[in-house]
């Protein structure tokens, strides 16, 4: 039995979780939860025992000095709570940590124990993967769930993915089996510029989360950081004609495939977000990251210490390699 002391009764609580590692390309997901925690001044009320879930040779503890005394910070997963004000106040339970090295089922069961004790009504797990998406276009965000009723009610995709998965997929399925409504939001990060941070992907995740749980999220400097990030990548791409050509091919493929996105529904969603915001004022883990087909992928770094690595040429339409994967 999990006993929570000092945690007040929560109002319509939603649990929002993100984990560093394979599920967190560009650190986009973990940075999103860190942003929520910082903007709303979250108060940590629990931390999982690092001994139970982490291999310290993979995720090493760190030593620091405090008032002349050496201390150690152990890699773990922490839970904090924040209250979102406004006309319809609600509470968020924020879960931020590192993908565990072992005992994943016990890890998920412990998080679900907290969710049960706190009366959590919905679990939203954030993730980010590497994909063939150009940095110059809006970040694709896919929202998935295993619950067909929830998919219809919240305008989500019912997941059909088969293949390797990380803690995001395992936690979502654990929630489903426990009868807790659960959703995963995934941002696609350009594989040719995957090194963190990626404020544009973080911003896209927060915008989608805002729509999903109907709260107004203070964005702080994120929009400006996202614009600066894109300008910086534009400049890097302009220095290499082959990379610039590759980005152009991704843009053409994206624009052709997503022409229906300029629908009335998409425009209405953006307009609703605009009204809501103006109402009332106001390094990658070992093993690579998740990709659109579920496999591991190392980063395509333009300034790789071992030499400049160029992205692969996209397949030409009509070839055997011209296939898309369903996340």
């Amino acid at each position: 039995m999990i006993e929570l002391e000092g945690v007040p009764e929560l109002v319509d609580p939603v649990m929002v979780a993100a984990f560093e590692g394979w599920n967190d390309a560009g650190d986009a997901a973990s940075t999103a939860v860190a942003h929520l925690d910082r903007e709303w001044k979250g108060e940590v009320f629990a931390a999982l025992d690092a001994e139970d879930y982490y291999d310290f040779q993979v995720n090493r503890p760190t030593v620091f000095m405090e008032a002349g005394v050496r201390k150690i910070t152990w890699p773990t997963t922490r839970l904090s709570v924040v209250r979102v004000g406004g006309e319809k106040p609600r509470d968020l339970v924020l879960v931020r940590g590192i993908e565990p090295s072992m005992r994943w089922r016990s890890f998920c069961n412990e998080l679900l124990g907290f969710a049960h004790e706190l009366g959590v009504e919905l679990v939203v797990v954030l993730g980010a993967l590497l994909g063939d998406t150009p940095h110059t276009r809006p970040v694709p965000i896919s929202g998935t769930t295993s619950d067909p009723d929830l998919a219809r009610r919240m305008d989500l995709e019912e997941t059909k993915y088969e293949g390797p998965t990380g803690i995001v997929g395992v936690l979502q399925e654990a929630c489903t089996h426990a009868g807790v409504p659960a959703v995963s939001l995934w941002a696609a990060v350009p594989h040719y510029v995957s090194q963190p941070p990626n404020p544009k992907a973080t911003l896209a995740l927060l915008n989608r989360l805002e729509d999903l749980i109907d709260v107004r999220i203070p964005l702080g400097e994120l929009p400006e950081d996202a614009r600066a990030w894109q300008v910086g990548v534009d400049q890097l791409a302009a220095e290499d004609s082959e990379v610039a050509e590759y980005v152009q091919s991704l843009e053409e493929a994206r624009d052709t495939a997503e022409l229906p996105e300029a629908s009335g529904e998409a425009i209405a969603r953006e307009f609703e977000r605009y009204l809501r915001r103006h109402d009332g004022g106001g390094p990658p883990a070992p093993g690579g990251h998740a990709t659109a087909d579920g496999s591991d992928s190392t980063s395509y770094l333009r300034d790789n210490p071992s030499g400049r690595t160029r992205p692969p040429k996209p397949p030409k339409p009509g070839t055997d390699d011209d296939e898309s994967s369903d996340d």
Side-chain angles (χ1 to χ4, degrees):
M1 174 66 71
I2 296 175
E3 297 182 2
L4 300 174
E5 298 181 0
V7 179
E9 184 175 350
L10 303 184
V11 178
D12 300 330
V14 173
M15 179 178 280
V16 182
F19 304 94
E20 299 173 19
W22 194 74
N23 316 268
D24 193 27
D27 291 355
S30 59
T31 302
V33 174
H35 177 88
L36 298 176
D37 193 66
R38 181 175 59 254
E39 290 293 323
W40 280 317
K41 298 177 173 58
E43 297 182 9
V44 175
F45 64 86
L48 305 191
D49 190 342
E51 290 279 348
D52 291 339
Y53 304 114
Y54 294 102
D55 179 348
F56 298 138
Q57 290 183 321
V58 176
N59 297 290
R60 292 186 178 273
T62 57
V63 178
F64 68 99
M65 299 293 292
E66 185 176 280
V69 178
R70 288 171 62 85
K71 295 186 177 181
I72 293 180
T73 298
W74 296 93
T76 188
T77 294
R78 294 178 172 82
L79 292 85
S80 59
V81 62
V82 300
R83 172 149 295 178
V84 183
E87 295 182 2
K88 296 188 296 181
R90 81 180 316 167
D91 294 314
L92 300 184
V93 179
L94 305 180
V95 179
R96 181 160 61 109
I98 305 168
E99 183 176 66
S101 307
M102 62 197 81
R103 303 182 68 227
W104 284 21
R105 286 176 290 186
S106 297
F107 180 87
C108 292
N109 287 338
E110 191 164 353
L111 291 180
L112 283 170
F114 283 108
H116 174 73
E117 290 296 316
L118 294 168
V120 166
E121 300 177 349
L122 174 69
V123 174
V124 182
V125 194
L126 307 183
L129 53 79
L130 301 179
D132 292 328
T133 182
H135 72 278
T136 53
R137 296 294 185 265
V139 176
I141 301 291
S142 59
T144 64
T145 180
S146 298
D147 185 337
D149 293 331
L150 193 63
R152 287 191 295 270
R153 191 166 69 251
M154 304 190 79
D155 189 26
L156 302 166
E157 299 176 23
E158 187 178 353
T159 181
K160 304 295 184 183
Y161 172 74
E162 295 178 297
T165 190
I167 195 62
V168 170
V170 172
L171 179 57
Q172 180 173 343
E173 287 308 299
C175 290
T176 300
H177 290 303
V180 179
V183 172
S184 295
L185 298 181
W186 286 90
V189 172
H191 67 83
Y192 58 89
V193 57
S194 59
Q195 61 269 41
N198 189 319
K200 186 173 181 178
T202 295
L203 179 62
L205 279 171
L206 290 175
N207 282 335
R208 186 66 179 91
L209 177 66
E210 185 179 71
D211 294 338
L212 186 73
I213 63 177
D214 193 25
V215 298
R216 179 181 174 185
I217 297 175
L219 298 178
E221 298 180 356
L222 259 181
E224 181 60 32
D225 291 343
R227 285 190 290 270
W229 176 87
Q230 181 163 324
V231 169
V233 179
D234 285 343
Q235 292 173 346
L236 288 174
E239 296 173 1
D240 191 316
S241 60
E242 190 171 344
V243 173
E245 180 184 350
Y246 177 67
V247 172
Q248 183 179 1
S249 69
L250 291 179
E251 290 173 340
E252 293 171 353
R254 171 78 178 273
D255 293 344
T256 300
E258 298 193 355
L259 193 60
E261 280 298 310
S263 64
E265 182 179 346
I267 295 172
R269 187 162 52 243
E270 289 299 318
F271 186 60
E272 288 172 1
R273 182 181 296 123
Y274 172 83
L275 292 178
R276 183 165 55 242
R277 292 204 169 281
H278 290 78
D279 183 19
H289 292 98
T291 62
D293 62 0
S295 62
D296 277 341
S297 176
T298 54
S299 302
Y300 286 91
L301 302 181
R302 297 191 71 255
D303 295 314
N304 192 313
S306 62
R308 299 171 67 86
T309 304
R310 301 184 188 277
K313 292 284 188 180
K316 296 181 179 179
T319 65
D320 293 338
D321 294 331
D322 186 26
E323 298 177 354
S324 60
S325 299
D326 181 16
D327 176 29

